Each structure stands twice: as structure tokens, then as C-alpha cells.
Amino acid sequence: MTPVEIGLISIVAIIVLIYLGVYIPIALGMVSFVAIWIMRDNIDLSFALLKIAIGDSAMEYTFATIPLFTFMGLIVSKAGLGADIYSVMNQGFRRITGGIGMATVGANAVFAAVTGSSIASASVFSKMSVPEMLKFDYNPRFAVGVVAGSSVLGMIIPPSAMLIIYSFVAEQSVGEMFLAGVVPGLLLAFAYVAAIWFMARFTPGFVGGCEVEQTTMMGWGEIAVKIGPISLLIVVVLGGIYTGWTTPVEAGAAGSLLGIIIAALRRRINWKSFWETVIETGHITAAILFLITAASMYARMLGLAGLPNELQAILADNEFSFFWIMVLLVVLMLFLGTILDTASIILIVVPLFLPLIETMGLSLVWFGIVAVVAAEIGLLTPPLGLSCFVIKATLDDDRITLKDVFLGALPFAFVMLIVLVLLIRFPALSLAILG
């Protein structure tokens, strides 16, 4: 067999193994290791590349962003900042039909700016927002759909774990990826709010809901107390990166320290919960490091097999335009989204397309935003929509089935697809802040 044939078989083998339940980094690393061994008939080369992959991943300075932002997100969740921003947003949208759904989107957008995790957002807001909407007779499918849809903002609005992973794969600046994610993330949040208004206006049966009773209004002082801490975190983290005062690693460290102080002042953390947070951070960081190391082996295997060059040659010979290349990318990512998680999709697809995107003279930062948004749609699609599974697992309500969660999330997946098309058509949306 030729190296290209071995490479193609390896990709299929990786997807099959993952689908059969093999741990994703093991599938990526093991198949890549064996494929390199077969292609070069040299097991020593496989071990040498594995050693380099581990060293490159663990010793990379910017890798420190992962444990720091993970820790910050966990601390912020414990401090109860998600509940505070939700209560403020709820007051602002209370008189609008579908207002609680809009408040959920707004709160998720703000919460995403300090956690960077779709799963954390899905868990937090399914406990707060869904019961609140059900109390006011909203359609259960709409209620869970709003939470599922808006939870993906955590992987687009920086600091985002997916943007960090992409920056490692594509060797791009984490800081630039963070800045590039701001406008697309806000655009998606506004698109969700507009979609909720549209559904409430033209499909009231799907949204449901009744008029929210007048409640005691929060004063400006109380509002400031609730939004002050999370606003300060956003200014310290994203403001520091944007102004150039801090690197992403330094911003993560400053945000983590500030998160500890806020949680301590609110008496939401003790030594036991602090230690639990540290341990959980270690588990998440180790899993991501394992994943990045395996992906590094996979990228080297693709390079040795010559698959990116072969793909580029096929597209050039058939005179595929930019439009059809983007269609191929999106369709491939949407297909894989039905069986794989977001990180796996990025790690499998991106190395195939990177050389092609570079040859076309396109921005790899822009491509990263497009790739992450396309892969994130998979969080809302069956059978492996992780956000939907998290919401179902978090909710203690037998009236809501997993089918309800997926059907409720479907309109928001469609909105994401529209935003993705806009990001592809207008690259300036992703690159505006970078100048």
C-alpha cells in the first residue's frame, strides 16, 4: 500500500474506533503510531515522533492557559456568578415575550466570557433557567433548547478551550484567537435573541409562556453588586489581552487569582472545595494534554502520508472554488458532529485542511473561528450532542426526554448554521478586532 492509502485507512480506523467507544486520544495516538511504523517500516521513528509530540505539548508555554482558564471557570461557577448575571438579565427582559429565553442567552454570553466551557454553561443554566421558564408555562422543548443553544457560546466567546486547542494544532497565537472570537460570539448571541423574538412572534405555540408577574425590582446598587465581580473579571482577562498588558497565560493567572478572591469574599469556597477544584482542574488538564499529544502524532502521520498535499492536488485538479471547499469542510464537520465531540472533529479535520487554507492565502485565525463554529454545531445534533446530554443529565424532570432536548435545540443549530455562513462570507467579522 502507498502512504496515502495507509493514511486514508488510518483516518477511517480512528473514526470507527471512536464510534466503538475507544477513548479518543488512544484511538488517535495508537492508530497514528502504527500507521507511521507501517509507512516507514521503522518502529524507532514512531517512538521518536511520539517523544517529540509529548515534549512539544507539555513544554509549550502557552499550554499553561488551559489549566489556568479551566481553574478560573470552575472557581467562577462555585462563586455563583452565573446565577447573579442571570437574575439581572431576567429583570431586563421580563416584559418581552420569550424574555426569559433572551435573558438566558444574555447571561450565557457573559458567563462564557469567564468560563470558556459549553458544558459548564449547560450544567449551570439548565438548573436555573429551565425551571424558571417551566414555572411561567414555557414549552419544555423551547426551554431546554434555549439552554442547549446558548451553551455553545462558551466555546466561541473567549476564553474558549476549543480556541486554545485549535491554536495548538494550527500553531497560532492564543491571544489572537481569543480576540477573533469576540465578534462572532456576540453575533451568535444577538442572532439567538433575534431568533427567540421571531419564534415568539410567529410560532407562539413552540415558545409558549405567559406574562411574567411584576416582582420586586432590583435597585441600581444591587445590580452593581451582582454584575460588578463578573465585569471586573472580563476587564482583567480580556481587557488585559486586548490592550497587550498581559499575555493569555498571565491573564489566566490574574483571572484565577481574582476568582479565588471573589469566591472567598462571598464565602462560597473553603479549603475542601478549593482542593476539589484543583483536583478537577488537574483531571481536565491531563485529559486535554493527552488529547493534544495524540493529535500531534496524528498531524505528523498525515504529513508523512502526504494526505494534505493529496487533498490539495485533488481539489486543484477538479478546479474546486473557495465556495465548494468551504461546503466540503462544513458538510464534513456536520457529518462528524453526529458521532464525535467538538475537540475530536477539530483534531481530525483541521490538519487535513490547514495546508490548503495556507496555500490559498487565507487567514488561519479566521479559519479557526469557522472550524470551531462548524464543529460546535455538533454539540446540538444527535446522536452525540454533548450539551444536550448534559442538560438531560442535570435536569431532574421526567417530563423532559432527551428527544425533547434535541428537538428544542434544532432551531438554534439552524441559527448557528446561518451565522457560520456569514462568518465564511465576511471574514472581516472574525478579523475586525485584530485590525
Side-chain angles (χ1 to χ4, degrees):
M1 288 190 294
T2 65
V4 171
E5 291 172 338
I6 295 172
L8 287 172
I9 293 172
S10 298
I11 294 176
V12 174
I14 289 169
I15 295 174
V16 170
L17 287 174
I18 293 173
Y19 189 71
L20 291 175
V22 176
Y23 188 41
I24 294 165
I26 291 177
L28 274 173
M30 180 178 65
V31 173
S32 300
F33 182 93
V34 173
I36 293 171
W37 180 8
I38 294 173
M39 278 189 287
R40 295 304 170 92
D41 194 23
N42 186 349
I43 193 173
D44 291 335
L45 177 61
S46 292
F47 278 115
L49 291 178
L50 178 60
K51 179 181 177 182
I52 293 172
I54 295 172
D56 287 349
S57 303
M59 301 304 292
E60 183 74 32
Y61 171 70
T62 52
F63 180 77
T65 54
I66 292 177
L68 289 170
F69 281 115
T70 299
F71 179 80
M72 183 180 70
L74 294 173
I75 283 291
V76 164
S77 296
K78 288 184 179 295
L81 298 189
D84 285 348
I85 193 65
Y86 175 70
S87 64
V88 173
M89 289 286 181
N90 219 0
Q91 176 169 300
F93 287 98
R94 72 191 184 286
R95 294 181 178 176
I96 304 173
T97 305
I100 300 179
M102 296 178 185
T104 301
V105 173
N108 245 319
V110 177
F111 192 64
V114 291
T115 59
S117 170
S118 294
I119 304 306
S121 296
S123 177
V124 169
F125 287 95
S126 59
K127 294 177 182 177
M128 294 187 301
S129 182
V130 174
E132 184 75 3
M133 281 191 271
L134 294 181
K135 187 172 79 173
F136 290 102
D137 294 328
Y138 279 84
N139 186 334
R141 287 186 177 178
F142 172 77
V144 292
V146 168
V147 175
S150 57
S151 70
V152 303
L153 294 171
M155 287 301 188
I156 301 169
I157 296 177
S160 159
M162 285 303 107
L163 293 179
I164 294 174
I165 289 176
Y166 173 84
S167 70
F168 277 95
V169 176
E171 297 181 351
Q172 296 298 298
S173 163
V174 174
E176 288 188 357
M177 291 305 306
F178 279 0
L179 295 179
V182 173
V183 173
L186 294 177
L187 175 63
L188 182 58
F190 282 119
Y192 279 158
V193 171
I196 291 171
W197 177 88
F198 182 88
M199 287 187 286
R201 178 72 174 78
F202 297 101
T203 59
F206 175 72
V207 175
C210 61
E211 185 176 347
V212 178
E213 299 175 4
Q214 184 69 30
T215 56
T216 303
M217 299 288 289
M218 287 185 287
W220 288 110
E222 186 179 355
I223 291 175
V225 169
K226 286 183 176 293
I227 68 174
I230 203 164
S231 299
L232 182 60
L233 269 170
I234 293 172
V235 169
V236 168
V237 176
L238 296 185
I241 295 173
Y242 181 72
T243 58
W245 290 347
T246 59
T247 66
V249 173
E250 292 165 347
S256 296
L257 177 60
L258 184 57
I260 293 172
I261 294 172
I262 292 171
L265 291 175
R266 291 183 158 213
R267 301 182 185 277
R268 296 291 184 89
I269 192 171
N270 52 36
W271 285 111
K272 180 182 178 182
S273 59
F274 176 79
W275 180 246
E276 289 172 349
T277 303
V278 171
I279 295 297
E280 188 173 355
T281 300
H283 288 161
I284 294 172
T285 302
I288 294 176
L289 176 60
F290 194 8
L291 195 58
I292 290 175
T293 300
S296 180
M297 275 293 288
Y298 169 71
R300 286 171 167 80
M301 183 272 292
L302 289 180
L304 287 173
L307 270 180
N309 294 333
E310 187 70 18
L311 176 63
Q312 181 179 335
I314 292 172
L315 295 176
D317 291 343
N318 290 277
E319 298 182 350
F320 273 71
S321 63
F322 168 78
F323 172 80
W324 287 110
I325 291 172
M326 287 296 103
V327 169
L328 176 63
L329 171 71
V330 172
V331 170
L332 181 58
M333 286 198 154
L334 292 181
F335 168 72
L336 291 178
T338 63
I339 56 174
L340 302 176
D341 66 281
T342 308
S344 302
I345 297 170
I346 291 175
L347 295 174
I348 290 173
V349 176
V350 166
L352 277 171
F353 280 83
L354 276 180
L356 181 63
I357 297 299
E358 282 186 298
T359 303
M360 296 174 68
L362 300 172
S363 167
L364 292 185
V365 173
W366 160 81
F367 179 66
I369 299 300
V370 169
V372 169
V373 174
E376 282 296 297
I377 298 176
L379 284 179
L380 307 180
T381 54
L384 199 69
L386 290 183
S387 285
C388 297
F389 277 99
V390 170
I391 290 169
K392 173 56 183 169
T394 305
L395 286 175
D396 186 18
D397 193 330
D398 294 334
R399 295 174 298 174
I400 299 175
T401 65
L402 185 60
K403 177 183 177 182
D404 291 326
V405 182
F406 277 120
L407 289 177
L410 191 60
F412 297 94
F414 180 71
V415 172
M416 281 193 76
L417 190 58
I418 293 174
V419 171
L420 176 61
V421 172
L422 290 175
L423 294 175
I424 293 173
R425 179 64 182 81
F426 303 104
L429 291 171
S430 303
L431 305 175
I433 295 182
L434 297 178

